[in-house]
Amino acid sequence: MNAASDAPVRIGLAGLGTVGSGLVAILQRNAEWITRRLGRRLVLKKVLVRSLGKPRAVSLGQGVELTDDPGALIGDPDIDIVVELMGGIDAAFDLIHKALCAGKHVVTANKALLAERGPELFALAAQKGLGLYYEASCAGAIPIVATLKESLAGNRIKSIIGILNGTANYILSSMSDKGLAFAEALRQAQELGYAEADPTLDIEGLDAAHKLLLLIRLAYGQNLPLARLFVEGITRVTPEDIRFAAEFGYGIKLIGQVHEADGKLVAGVCPMLVHKDYLLASVRGAFNAVRVEGDASGPIILHGKGAGDLPTGSAVLADIMALSRACMVPNNTGFLTEPLPEAALLDPMDAVCPHYIHFTVKDQPGVMAAISKSMGVHGVSISQAVQKGEPEDGYVPIVFLTHEAAERAIQGVLDDAAAMSFIKPGTVHFRVL
């Protein structure tokens, strides 16, 4: 960084897609305001793109060089901050690694990269005394990274519960509000630009999982490899289960959460029933929300747009400005010790919560008694049970809400059910928040 406190901060931007274009637009629109805040100008010097001839959604203005050579950003001694908005893993890792080795601060929105290879990059940044900032990687415009590593730094974090993927939340909201089937809700999300042509990362929970891993690192000072995290997507959610959940007073949301139990972390991403009185249940459409509870602060909820050009560009710009302030000392993970230790994780089978189980059974006497007996054998206590609807092909739905029970006990009930001839295969099981 240029030592003069009033010298311009020069930026090298890698990627001019949706978020990159949004960042450029904000830099241009709010240039005077940003200068008033910082006491120095932010100057976009070079932009790295894959195709030089591709039409752009934003005009770069005079003096900005467009290049397809990553070395043009890394090798330019005038560039103070490299902003990586390309996406992907390998090329982005290479760019960030080289930028840090060249003595440049880095801002990124790449949650997949940081979730999978973050420990290497954070260790390098710490070794070099450089910033590797990533506010935009967790929840779009929501300032959850700064909240955890600065505002709540003196708290022991008791829990984080979040709606971390706007695509999944839009789909579930459409299914709930309009009665759409999953496939139709996904199609509409794609038409509106809320879902990618290949939506796998969103609907299978992997995008939310990447974000949760970053939040765990910030909140607990521990690294958790993706392979150790329980992840389940929303593809098995049906309008029927949404209706049953609503009758019990719940909505269904894709939830990423973590809390401590017996000195270990309990963490995972999965669709969960969320009671209608809980604030997270009211988060609609493509919005994100994160509930953080500190031992001193108590519960705090942050809500906002989780994606989009300007919302995500706003978070990227916040990191650039943080790294541009005079006398800035990098604070990448919220902890001074690098590398951070690997998380001690509670066996998911020992995790305890209430559960929702939807059986489809033959319309005959003794069915409810047999299922209730299995639950009793495994120590699962029933909170509510509903059998509704006319028989279809001789089968009817039976839905149970349980009191808190270990995952291992619920799995025992599901295994018993799979062996009962009067229960149709495909029993539905969701956890309850």
Side-chain angles (χ1 to χ4, degrees):
M1 187 79 69
N2 194 309
S5 62
D6 60 348
V9 176
R10 303 192 184 278
I11 300 164
L13 171 61
L16 197 56
T18 299
V19 180
S21 297
L23 173 63
V24 172
I26 302 170
L27 285 170
Q28 294 172 346
R29 175 195 302 177
N30 295 344
E32 182 180 349
W33 182 253
I34 293 167
T35 302
R36 286 180 60 192
R37 290 276 196 180
L38 287 177
R40 60 200 310 191
R41 291 186 302 125
L42 298 181
V43 176
L44 183 61
K45 186 177 183 188
K46 291 182 180 178
V47 178
L48 173 67
V49 296
R50 291 188 178 92
S51 173
L52 294 175
K54 181 180 177 179
R56 304 294 167 186
V58 64
S59 173
L60 294 178
Q62 290 186 339
V64 181
E65 179 185 337
L66 203 62
T67 180
D68 59 2
D69 176 17
L73 268 61
I74 305 302
D76 188 334
D78 290 336
I79 289 178
D80 302 299
I81 300 174
V82 170
V83 179
E84 183 278 307
L85 300 176
M86 302 185 301
I89 302 294
D90 294 336
F93 177 88
D94 187 58
L95 181 80
I96 292 174
H97 192 279
K98 288 180 178 178
L100 292 170
C101 288
K104 303 181 187 302
H105 298 298
V106 174
V107 173
T108 180
N110 197 328
K111 61 261 184 183
L113 170 62
L114 294 181
E116 296 184 21
R117 302 193 67 179
E120 300 170 66
L121 294 174
F122 286 121
L124 177 60
Q127 176 189 337
K128 298 289 187 180
L130 294 166
L132 173 54
Y133 280 23
Y134 48 100
E135 183 68 78
S137 66
C138 288
I142 297 174
I144 184 61
V145 173
T147 298
L148 287 171
K149 72 179 182 181
E150 296 173 10
S151 302
L152 298 180
N155 283 249
R156 294 298 300 266
I157 301 301
K158 298 174 68 175
S159 66
I160 298 175
I161 306 169
I163 295 172
L164 301 174
N165 184 270
T167 299
N169 200 58
Y170 179 86
I171 290 170
L172 293 175
S173 295
S174 296
M175 293 175 69
S176 176
D177 298 341
K178 304 174 184 177
L180 300 180
F182 175 83
E184 176 61 18
L186 170 59
R187 185 188 65 79
Q188 289 190 10
Q190 289 172 320
E191 288 180 352
L192 293 170
Y194 293 136
E196 302 287 346
D198 180 0
T200 302
L201 289 175
D202 297 316
I203 65 176
E204 296 295 348
L206 292 171
D207 178 80
H210 291 147
K211 296 171 181 177
L212 181 62
L213 296 179
L214 301 186
L215 297 180
I216 289 171
R217 185 181 293 145
L218 286 159
Y220 297 97
Q222 301 176 47
N223 286 315
L224 180 59
L226 179 62
R228 296 182 60 206
L229 184 70
F230 173 76
V231 182
E232 182 181 302
I234 63 171
T235 56
R236 295 181 66 239
V237 179
T238 66
E240 184 179 34
D241 286 307
I242 288 176
R243 287 195 300 272
F244 279 129
E247 290 187 22
F248 288 123
Y250 292 83
I252 299 179
K253 298 290 186 182
L254 181 66
I255 297 292
Q257 65 167 332
V258 58
H259 65 273
E260 285 188 308
D262 300 325
K264 296 181 179 180
L265 296 184
V266 182
V269 173
C270 61
M272 300 187 77
L273 272 69
V274 182
H275 197 273
K276 63 182 180 181
D277 291 338
Y278 207 50
L279 286 175
L280 288 177
S282 65
V283 178
R284 319 303 293 174
F287 279 76
N288 285 188
V290 186
R291 181 188 188 273
V292 181
E293 184 171 358
D295 63 346
S297 67
I300 295 171
I301 292 185
L302 302 174
H303 172 270
K305 293 182 177 180
D309 53 354
L310 297 179
T312 310
S314 170
V316 173
L317 178 56
D319 281 344
I320 294 171
M321 292 177 69
L323 289 169
S324 300
R325 290 192 168 91
C327 302
M328 182 278 306
V329 177
N331 178 16
N332 297 325
T333 64
F335 297 87
L336 291 179
T337 304
E338 288 287 350
L340 297 175
E342 186 164 323
L345 195 64
L346 187 75
D347 186 336
M349 296 300 287
D350 294 328
V352 174
C353 69
H355 297 262
Y356 165 101
I357 307 175
H358 172 187
F359 301 99
T360 303
V361 303
K362 286 185 179 179
D363 186 24
Q364 65 184 42
V367 170
M368 183 77 81
I371 296 173
S372 298
K373 180 180 179 180
S374 170
M375 289 187 171
V377 168
H378 293 285
V380 177
S381 174
I382 299 170
S383 172
Q384 299 182 65
V386 173
Q387 179 176 348
K388 298 188 67 173
E390 296 298 319
E392 184 175 331
D393 297 329
Y395 286 87
V396 293
I398 297 180
V399 181
F400 291 86
L401 278 186
T402 78
H403 293 291
E404 287 194 342
E407 188 75 22
R408 195 180 310 279
I410 296 297
Q411 191 57 55
V413 173
L414 295 176
D415 289 343
D416 287 351
M420 295 178 182
S421 61
F422 52 80
I423 297 181
K424 183 179 285 190
T427 295
V428 177
H429 165 230
F430 298 127
R431 295 150 193 88
V432 180
L433 189 61

